[in-house]
Amino acid sequence: MIRRILVCLPLLVCSHLLLGQSLKGLVVHAGSKGPVENASISLLDPVSGGLVKGVIADSSGRFLLTGVSLGSYWLKVEGVGCKPLIKRNVVVSGRPLDMGVLTLEGDAAYLKDITINAAKPLVENKLDKVVYNVAGDLTAQNGVALDLLKKVPSVSVDIDGNVELEGDANVRFLINGKPSTIFGSSLADALQSIPASQIQRIEVMTSPGAKYDASGTGGIINIILKENKVRGIHGVANVSAGTRLENGSFDLSLRQGAFSANAFVSGNAQLSSTTPTSTRRQAYSTTLDTVNTFSQIGSTVIKRSGYQSGVSLGWDLDKKDKLTASFNYNHFGNNTSGNFQQMQGMSLSTLSSGSQVSEHAADWSLDYKRTFRKKDQELDALISTSTGGDLSDYYQQTAYIDTSLSASGSRGHNPGTDKETDVSVDYTQPLGKGFLLETGAKGTFEQIRNKVQTDTLMPDLSYQADAGQSYGFAYDRQIYAAYISSSFAFFHGFLEGKVGMRYEFTHTKADFAGSSVPDNTIWAPSGLVTHKLDLTQTLKVSYSYRIERPDYEDLNPFYNISDPHNISTGNPDLQPEVGHRIELGYNKDFSSGASLAMSAVYRFNTNDIQSFSTYYPTLVVEGTTYSEVTLSQAYNIGSQTFKGINFFGSLNLTDKWSLRSNIQAGDRTNKTPGLETVSGFSVRGNLNTTYKFSHGLTAEAFGSYMSSQKNLQGIRPAFGFYTLALKKTFWNKKASVGLTATNPFTEYIHQKATLNGTGFSQYTLRSVPYQSFGITLSYSFGKLEFKGKEHENEPAAPAQMEGN
């Protein structure tokens, strides 16, 4: 397919050049002489006044109309907060027409008191990322970050909150462009603790440039929290109540003169839910010609809660220097308890277990930015620190129906701390028309401290400290990085792109018993080339080299025996996983507001890190014998190849009714020396429809489906759901009330998973409660004032007329 597209590319380029003459120009503000970003340019029939062609100016204010038939037209130019400009008698003759500089005047009286009516599109396809703007999402209005991620193109989320980006689970998460230790121990719990109402947008970068850390073979997901940039005082309060989830948030912003401040507090709670689960495992002994059977049936109860708070301060020291400071505090926790009946051979027992997890993170940052007289010349220095603490307690106890057998069990207490400090300097230097040089350096310093105290249940039902299961460790990692990249534009924008190289050196020190972690050095190249067929169509080719470093849990050789039949341990010999990714993409924006984005993706990972499970009839750990055990451990398992396609489209059926859809499909192949090659095809798709009734009432429906996926040792189950929503705005759009319902007619989603290995097979059925109903209330207050470039989304002002 890539070969066919490359063959057709010259034909497409030639055809668009021959279909008609072109008309170009530059749109600027009358006062500042700066560009009018996203100005609307319309070519009108002078007789009927109908639209002949139209385009949107780019970020530099430049526009290009191609394929214009010979004749005389009117040209209408519109910009946000400006008086429209109409030029009559625009004659397109036998050669390209340059309109030169078109100046739009602002309307000061008009800007004194405005109402925001328009909104950004829900999904924006930009040069190096896809942006999901949360404000237009109704069905996730009382949800959490995970609910939003299920709708983002290229992202898939399973029922347990595990996130993949184009089929790769190695995703680096950031908050406001910076790392946070809140994502350390449990990514799914962290993402379920951030209310959707607190998120402004989600940025997805599948092929990040050299400026970004090379960690994460899947790419980067950046969660941007809400921050109001308009002048004046403004606040928003949201509260949601539901049968499965409750959350609330409050935001307050102030911007006056050279000073700005934003503050927020939010929290949520997932109400107690019960998940029935049954497991059956069969183990085969070829030497004894026997089959051992283990079965377990019961249920797990879980509830979660979390809260976040933060404040950011901005100070424009002068016209060229800006200082920004921020502080965020995040906390989440969960409680789990389970009761199961077990049958091991002819032995019947009951298992009771539970866990309690609590984690917090405090994030600080200080950013200094200086701009220069030359456009795009910029210096940025940033220091950020994230300090986290976590506490994990568990217990498990097995009682046998046969009273001649003693009860067994254990309990554990696991406190830990995590600290990461990042120091970076970035500099951008224009080298000439269309060329930009970027360079910078960064240091990352991580410190993790952990202690585990384990007690074993004795025959007299007392607990005794277990020295073999108690330990502490210190883990320190430093990453030193530098990069250089260049943006370029050739042939008057015919080809644009960016190429770069990033260097990273990693030093790790860990006091794991009997093992050490080697240093690692990488050179990570990246490149992106685009060609604009016109201002509405873009072709893109990109390449990125990325790695996935094993984290301390993957490396730690300690055995986790919180479940004695499912034991896990780390592997200190793990090497970083290396990923190569190539993408060929096409974007098209239509004058009707519709958009289309397609891409073909090829990814090849070596030293692929995956967990591998092995069955043991008996397993001895630190002198204690455990029976019927599945041991899970991470390995560098050969290579993984992914070939797939992505499709995103939006369509306005009427001025009130719109459709959006995203489809991913691909084949993932795992090749492991000594094992059978495993290939599995999967598809993920969603459909969203929105209808705007009169009087501020909007309805929305969203459905999502993720097919089953064949993995190295089994099959990941399919997952599908749907959500219905209504929203009513009132009080001049300052207040709203919303209703949501997820799977209103089905209480459970049934998950059937299989796990197979040498000498054993395992089948698990879970019935996950997913049905929910919710109500959301929102209220905003304060007066908004717009100055200079900060105004946006205003209605049109009276036109200024020019004629020849």
Side-chain angles (χ1 to χ4, degrees), residues 99-114:
M99 298 300 299
V101 178
L102 302 173
T103 303
L104 296 186
E105 296 180 0
D107 190 338
Y110 163 74
L111 291 175
K112 285 183 178 178
D113 190 10
I114 65 170

Side-chain angles (χ1 to χ4, degrees), residues 275-318:
T275 301
T277 304
S278 63
T279 300
R280 180 178 177 85
R281 181 170 61 217
Q282 290 185 315
Y284 316 97
S285 174
T286 56
T287 56
L288 299 177
D289 195 25
T290 59
V291 177
N292 294 326
T293 301
F294 170 80
S295 62
Q296 178 176 281
I297 185 170
S299 61
T300 301
V301 180
I302 185 170
K303 57 181 179 181
R304 292 186 174 91
S305 63
Y307 60 86
Q308 304 78 37
S309 62
V311 60
S312 65
L313 304 173
W315 185 20
D316 295 334
L317 304 176
D318 52 40

Side-chain angles (χ1 to χ4, degrees), residues 636-679:
N636 290 116
I637 300 179
S639 64
Q640 184 182 95
T641 303
F642 175 82
K643 293 175 286 187
I645 58 172
N646 289 310
F647 167 87
F648 172 80
S650 65
L651 177 64
N652 295 325
L653 299 176
T654 69
D655 58 347
K656 294 184 178 182
W657 187 15
S658 63
L659 291 175
R660 296 187 306 274
S661 181
N662 175 224
I663 298 174
Q664 302 176 48
D667 182 81
R668 188 166 63 189
T669 301
N670 291 285
K671 292 185 177 181
T672 306
L675 295 178
E676 180 183 357
T677 297
V678 176
S679 294

